[in-house]
Amino acid sequence: PDFTGKRALEALKAKGLARKLFGFAAIAPGPVARQGATVRDASGKPIGVITSGTFSPTLNKPIALGFIDNNHWDLKIVELEMNGRRLQAKVSALPFYKRPV
């Protein structure tokens, strides 16, 4: 059926996505990545940006959400840079925590 925004979504689908939302979980203790922090690949090249981040008491480590450019979606490990400090993080599946059954 027809709906508001249908043409815009069809145009995006035809063009392809430029970036995608991913989760990031810190590998080692360190600072919490906040909104605006830079996501970098192993060579230090900027490949995305953090949209939100916090410390997860359930997982006992910093976590964050952010966008990565489309040609880097296959990366498993990235660096999150905030205020000149870098934190290695694993690209994580969402949701971060799944309740045991």
Side-chain angles (χ1 to χ4, degrees):
D2 200 21
F3 58 91
T4 304
K6 182 176 181 179
R7 286 188 206 96
L9 289 175
E10 287 172 343
L12 278 176
K13 186 176 181 181
K15 182 180 174 184
L17 295 176
R19 59 188 187 160
K20 187 175 173 183
L21 187 69
F22 286 92
F24 305 98
I27 293 174
V32 174
R34 299 291 186 187
Q35 179 182 7
T38 305
V39 180
R40 298 183 180 276
D41 64 8
S43 68
K45 177 184 171 193
I47 59 169
V49 64
I50 296 298
T51 58
S52 65
T54 190
F55 181 82
S56 170
T58 305
L59 300 174
N60 198 30
K61 59 183 159 184
I63 60 172
L65 291 174
F67 288 105
I68 296 181
D69 298 334
N70 65 357
N71 50 348
H72 300 283
W73 289 353
D74 59 340
L75 293 178
K76 302 294 182 214
I77 304 292
V78 294
E79 286 186 339
L80 309 179
E81 181 182 6
M82 46 274 164
N83 300 325
R85 295 174 60 189
R86 291 191 180 181
L87 172 69
Q88 273 201 329
K90 177 177 74 165
V91 178
S92 177
L94 297 175
F96 291 102
Y97 177 77
K98 293 179 185 167
R99 188 184 319 199
V101 178

